[in-house]
Amino acid sequence: MEASGKVLYRQRQVFFFFLLGLSLVAGSEPRRYSVVEEAEGTSFVTNLAEDLGLGKEELSSRWPKVISKGNRLHFQLNHETGDLVLNEKLDREEFCGYTEPCVLRFQVLLENPLEFFQAELQIIDRNDHTPVFSDKDIVLKISESSAPGTTFPLNNAQDMDVGQNNIENYIISPNSYFRVLTRIRNDGRKYPELVMDKALDREEEAELRLTLTAQDGGSPPRSGTTQVYIKVMDVNDNAPKFEQPLYRVQIHEDSPIGSLVTTVVATDVDIGINGEVSYSLFQASEEITKTFDINQKTGEIVLKKQLDFEIAQFYEVNVEARDGGSLSGKCTVLTQVTDVNDNVPEITISAYTKEVPENSPETVVAVFSVSDVDSEENGKVICFIQDGLPFFLKSSSENFFTLLTEGPLDREERAEYTIVITVSDLGSPRLQSQHQVTVRVSDVNDNAPAFSQRAYTLRVRENNSPGLALGSVRAWDADEGTNAQLSYSLLPSPSQPAPGALVSIDADSGQLFALRALDFEALQAFEFLVGATDRGSPALSSQARVRVLVLDANDNAPFVLHPLQNGSAPCTELLPRAAGAGYLVSKVVAVDGDAGQNAWLSFQLLKATEPGLFGVWAHSGEVRTARALSERDAPRHRLVVLVRDNGDPPLSASVTLHVLLVDGFSQPYLPLPAAPDAAAAATGARPERLTVYLVVALAAVSSLFLCSLLAFVAARLCRRAGRAEAAAAAAGALAGPEGHFPGHLLDAGGAGTLSHSYQYEVCAGATGTTDFKVLKPILPYFQGHTPGPEIQEN
């Protein structure tokens, strides 16, 4: 019984293996090899290098791999020689049971480039199993009334070998009553049938003991025996008879244990104990007895074990009906197992790439096969992945798929993908399985650095200390690793000199530093370019513009343009004694090299020979009389005017004015009273006429200048202080030297006070001659220009 159970168990071990190839070999015939079972584990199968037409070095460089069902290592491949040998002993009965031919399918995978070849290995049976009867003793009760020619089927022996190595015939020990015939069942198995050649006589011989031998067709043949005990029974001339000799039934594989398969019915026309029928399984193998059970009284056949279509698709159940005597009848129940969708599809990954470079064209990510051991629609499968991913599936051949990228991937958009491969069958209800594949997108240096701003503006106050941090620039790179590591540098601007003499930059942080002290009066602003370069290969870079504004500091004192203080003989201002209050004596013109409020200037009368006689306008620097002159006033006056800027702290300069009181413009050039005759003789008539002309011309020019100056001052005052203040200014009101300093100071930056009016200087010579010095108009100075001395004309 144990040997019979082992044989039936091995019958269920069938391997399903899908041998698939890529488009280059799809549909081609598989390569076939053979080996005898139980051969040594290192037995030579073939040389793959020769079969594939490849050199040994070429085969080794393409990384060949042998793949079989379940990734079991049945084979061992020598990469150097290309020899394919067995890795273990192969038992044909373990792999295929009674299936013939026994074929083990495998495939050869070449990874560089990817290519598949199908192959089959046929395991040739050898006669290594002896026929075995399930029962050691067979007991037959035969009525003495049995006629010659009556047949008695006997339990068959089982042999795990196939073909000619299986049971060939049965032999009975020599006797005068029976012979044995070898019959073939519907499933192809051979069983013995005992044939009566001579009628039995219980009174002559009540019991027979025969030896039944089962012999296979191997070389040398193997055989097994069992004992047949025949008991001669008294006459019972009617055997049970079934309603039909063959029953055909179907049952689903998912039917629960205890389900009714069918009911067989047999009748016996005898009466009494010879007419009582009991049912039993006849010639039942271990698998049949484990799977089915029959009710001895009713003939109901029920399930004892769960069915599995993938293990067995049909069963042949022999039922015996025996009466109370020794007679029996036989019938056969052919049970067909119908498939239900109870197996989930399986996915087998053959090749898998975990990392794909970005920007790569269509790339193979994984190669896999799918299978479903169910049948028909239940075994047909479809395969798909989730939507919205840049991947697609390509079917190379039946149930063989390749997962590829749709096109170039962008790591900056998405660095990792999780792809769920779903396989579903077409059964009802549908079953499916999933396999998760994770693909990481490796970085390529395809993104140039990007600055946070296209242009930066930095401010620094002049007279800074060298090494002062001006600020920083920042850039980022969408790549990763070394492709995102940045280095900063200074770049020359097309319109600006090289910035290396003024600033420096930290290559790692982008921090900018001043290399030397800056001077606002020399350089108010400068620009340069900053570059950021990554460390990829090839390196990518970008640039940004940086503008540095130098802020002014109050480091320049006011400079007086008029009257010029050059250490030479001072220029004397002439003041007629007839001048009234508010008469313009002179105007102090000054500039400041600074800017903004540091260049706003105010004027103040610091010293005077006679206080109260003169006043200075704080805004314009105009020196005017504060009252009318009198005969008691001294003929000469010395005024000191202070010019101050609005910086913090303020800087200042002073200027000295000399004022000469005259009764008329020609008075200083007339002969001294002590020598009137000599002076008259010296001058003569022609100089007197020239003096008159000059005095008239000077008076006309001065009047025109005074009118223009008053009109200009009035317009300025109208714009700054309103119409009321302008009217007061036209009336001749003077601002006192100690008056309030208004918020809108006079801006002398770059142009001094000359932007308000033009000043002419008229001086009388100290030699007593009739020569005059007339200055050109003092023009505005541009910012940053160092004021020079006034140019005089004789």
Side-chain angles (χ1 to χ4, degrees):
M1 294 295 292
E2 294 179 0
S4 176
K6 181 177 180 181
V7 171
L8 293 174
Y9 175 76
R10 289 181 176 178
Q11 285 180 330
R12 298 179 298 169
Q13 298 178 339
V14 180
F15 285 84
F16 296 91
F17 184 70
F18 295 91
L19 300 177
L20 307 169
L22 294 175
S23 57
L24 294 177
V25 296
S28 62
E29 288 295 325
R31 302 175 185 273
R32 293 180 174 86
Y33 308 97
S34 62
V35 65
V36 179
E37 72 168 331
E38 300 297 335
E40 292 297 328
T42 57
S43 297
F44 177 81
V45 176
T46 186
N47 187 282
L48 288 180
E50 297 177 0
D51 292 349
L52 300 180
L54 302 175
K56 296 180 180 180
E57 294 182 358
E58 182 181 1
L59 178 67
S60 176
S61 64
R62 295 187 65 179
W63 290 96
K65 184 168 65 174
V66 179
I67 303 173
S68 57
K69 177 66 176 178
N71 290 331
R72 290 187 58 181
L73 302 177
H74 300 306
F75 305 94
Q76 183 176 351
L77 177 61
N78 190 321
H79 289 194
E80 296 181 358
T81 63
D83 290 340
L84 181 66
V85 298
L86 293 178
N87 198 37
E88 60 182 3
K89 290 183 178 181
L90 300 180
D91 187 356
R92 193 206 63 81
E93 287 73 25
E94 178 184 353
F95 284 95
C96 302
Y98 288 105
T99 303
E100 182 65 17
C102 181
V103 176
L104 177 62
R105 296 177 174 85
F106 64 97
Q107 58 186 171
V108 179
L109 169 64
L110 302 179
E111 295 186 353
N112 184 26
L114 190 61
E115 191 174 7
F116 289 86
F117 298 92
Q118 304 179 46
E120 296 178 353
L121 178 65
Q122 181 178 355
I123 305 175
I124 301 174
D125 182 57
R126 59 184 298 181
N127 192 22
D128 57 345
H129 291 84
T130 299
V132 177
F133 288 91
S134 60
D135 298 325
K136 295 182 179 180
D137 298 320
I138 300 176
V139 179
L140 291 179
K141 295 179 180 180
I142 301 176
S143 175
E144 63 179 348
S145 62
S146 298
T150 303
T151 60
F152 304 92
L154 302 177
N155 289 339
N156 64 298
Q158 296 185 10
D159 192 337
M160 292 299 294
D161 296 322
V162 295
Q164 66 179 8
N165 293 328
N166 204 325
I167 296 175
E168 186 70 23
N169 57 7
Y170 291 88
I171 302 173
I172 196 74
S173 59
N175 65 92
S176 58
Y177 295 97
F178 298 93
R179 58 186 173 88
V180 67
L181 297 177
T182 302
R183 301 291 190 183
I184 301 176
R185 294 172 51 181
N186 292 336
D187 58 358
R189 300 181 186 178
K190 295 181 180 181
Y191 67 93
E193 191 175 74
L194 198 61
V195 180
M196 181 183 290
D197 291 333
K198 179 181 177 182
L200 297 174
D201 187 359
R202 188 193 65 81
E203 288 75 17
E204 180 181 350
E205 192 172 7
E207 183 176 288
L208 296 175
R209 186 182 182 91
L210 304 175
T211 299
L212 179 63
T213 301
Q215 189 176 50
D216 62 22
S219 179
R222 292 173 176 262
S223 62
T225 62
T226 186
Q227 297 298 317
V228 180
Y229 294 95
I230 300 176
K231 293 182 179 180
V232 182
M233 305 299 294
D234 201 10
V235 175
N236 181 18
D237 56 354
N238 288 289
K241 185 177 181 181
F242 284 92
E243 292 181 347
Q244 55 189 76
L246 180 64
Y247 292 82
R248 297 180 182 274
V249 295
Q250 290 184 344
I251 185 170
H252 294 297
E253 64 172 328
D254 62 344
S255 299
I257 296 175
S259 298
L260 177 65
V261 178
T262 190
T263 301
V264 295
V265 178
T267 58
D268 194 322
V269 296
D270 292 333
I271 59 174
I273 192 173
N274 292 329
E276 294 180 358
V277 178
S278 63
Y279 301 93
S280 62
L281 299 178
F282 179 71
Q283 291 185 347
S285 64
E286 182 181 1
E287 182 65 21
I288 295 294
T289 57
K290 287 182 178 180
T291 306
F292 301 98
D293 192 16
I294 188 170
N295 190 307
Q296 293 182 354
K297 294 182 178 181
T298 63
E300 294 179 345
I301 301 176
V302 296
L303 288 178
K304 289 177 62 178
K305 188 184 74 171
Q306 188 70 48
L307 299 176
D308 191 346
F309 174 84
E310 288 69 42
I311 295 179
Q313 289 78 40
F314 67 91
Y315 294 90
E316 183 177 333
V317 181
N318 295 314
V319 180
E320 179 183 50
R322 186 177 293 275
D323 59 19
S326 59
L327 300 181
S328 63
K330 307 292 188 301
C331 77
T332 300
V333 179
L334 291 178
T335 304
Q336 181 179 358
V337 182
T338 58
D339 183 43
V340 297
N341 194 23
D342 60 343
N343 289 279
V344 176
E346 296 181 355
I347 302 175
T348 302
I349 301 294
S350 300
Y352 173 36
T353 301
K354 295 183 178 179
E355 192 170 90
V356 176
E358 66 173 332
N359 304 330
S360 298
E362 184 177 293
T363 305
V364 176
V365 176
V367 178
F368 61 94
S369 61
V370 297
S371 61
D372 194 321
V373 295
D374 292 321
S375 63
E376 297 181 352
E377 294 298 316
N378 297 331
K380 295 179 180 179
V381 296
I382 57 175
C383 186
F384 56 91
I385 61 176
Q386 68 267 41
D387 297 330
L389 296 180
F391 298 87
F392 71 97
L393 290 177
K394 180 179 180 182
S395 177
S396 300
S397 59
E398 183 181 1
N399 294 344
F400 190 86
F401 296 89
T402 304
L403 177 64
L404 306 99
T405 60
E406 286 186 343
L409 302 178
D410 188 357
R411 189 204 65 81
E412 289 71 39
E413 179 181 344
R414 187 168 178 179
E416 187 175 274
Y417 293 88
T418 299
I419 306 166
V420 179
I421 303 173
T422 303
V423 181
S424 175
D425 59 28
L426 301 181
S428 179
R430 292 190 176 189
L431 300 179
Q432 66 180 24
S433 61
Q434 294 181 335
H435 186 85
Q436 183 171 294
V437 175
T438 300
V439 178
R440 186 178 184 278
V441 184
S442 60
D443 186 52
V444 174
N445 191 27
D446 58 347
N447 288 276
F451 281 92
S452 58
Q453 300 174 217
R454 296 183 62 181
Y456 295 82
T457 300
L458 306 178
R459 292 174 173 82
V460 59
R461 189 169 297 277
E462 67 172 330
N463 303 324
N464 59 285
S465 59
L468 177 69
L470 302 179
S472 62
V473 294
R474 287 289 182 269
W476 61 276
D477 196 312
D479 296 318
E480 67 176 359
T482 57
N483 294 333
Q485 295 178 4
L486 303 181
S487 176
Y488 300 92
S489 61
L490 297 178
L491 302 176
S493 174
S495 59
Q496 297 288 338
L502 299 176
V503 295
S504 66
I505 188 169
D506 188 297
D508 296 326
S509 66
Q511 187 80 20
L512 291 165
F513 300 92
L515 293 180
R516 62 180 179 85
L518 301 176
D519 185 2
F520 173 82
E521 288 70 36
L523 182 65
Q524 286 78 38
F526 60 95
E527 292 184 355
F528 56 90
L529 298 178
V530 174
T533 305
D534 60 29
R535 298 181 182 176
S537 180
L540 301 178
S541 62
S542 62
Q543 62 185 23
R545 184 174 297 276
V546 179
R547 179 177 176 82
V548 178
L549 301 179
V550 182
L551 303 180
D552 183 49
N554 193 27
D555 58 347
N556 289 280
F559 181 81
V560 178
L561 299 177
H562 176 76
L564 187 62
Q565 305 293 302
N566 56 5
S568 62
C571 182
T572 303
E573 302 290 344
L574 301 180
L575 177 62
R577 286 186 179 272
Y583 182 84
L584 178 62
V585 178
S586 182
K587 180 177 181 180
V588 178
V589 180
V591 294
D592 195 311
D594 296 319
Q597 67 177 10
N598 293 330
W600 295 350
L601 302 180
S602 63
F603 301 86
Q604 178 183 356
L605 184 58
L606 189 62
K607 293 181 181 181
T609 303
E610 186 174 341
L613 179 58
F614 299 97
V616 178
W617 280 34
H619 306 103
S620 63
E622 292 178 351
V623 180
R624 295 179 179 269
T625 56
R627 59 176 176 81
L629 299 177
S630 65
E631 294 295 334
R632 294 188 300 271
D633 292 328
R636 293 182 178 275
H637 295 268
R638 182 175 177 270
L639 307 179
V640 178
V641 179
L642 179 68
V643 184
R644 178 182 298 169
D645 61 24
N646 195 39
D648 184 19
L651 300 178
S652 62
S654 62
V655 60
T656 301
L657 297 177
H658 295 272
V659 180
L660 177 64
L661 302 183
V662 295
D663 291 331
F665 284 104
S666 61
Q667 181 180 349
Y669 305 97
L670 297 178
L672 295 176
D677 297 336
T683 56
R686 184 178 179 183
E688 185 175 354
R689 287 195 303 270
L690 179 59
T691 300
V692 173
Y693 294 154
L694 291 176
V695 169
V696 173
L698 181 60
V701 172
S702 299
S703 299
L704 180 60
F705 169 73
L706 182 59
C707 293
S708 300
L709 180 62
L710 291 176
F712 179 80
V713 171
R716 296 288 289 181
L717 293 178
C718 286
R719 286 196 298 267
R720 294 187 178 182
R723 296 184 180 275
E725 187 177 350
L734 293 174
E738 302 297 332
H740 174 69
F741 190 74
H744 52 283
L745 298 177
L746 180 64
D747 187 358
T753 55
L754 289 179
S755 59
H756 296 274
S757 61
Y758 293 93
Q759 176 70 46
Y760 291 88
E761 180 182 5
V762 180
C763 296
T767 60
T769 64
T770 57
D771 295 337
F772 285 88
K773 294 182 180 180
V774 181
L775 295 180
K776 287 184 178 181
I778 302 175
L779 300 178
Y781 286 83
F782 293 99
Q783 185 178 5
H785 175 72
T786 303
E790 297 176 349
I791 302 175
Q792 298 181 346
E793 291 184 357
N794 293 331

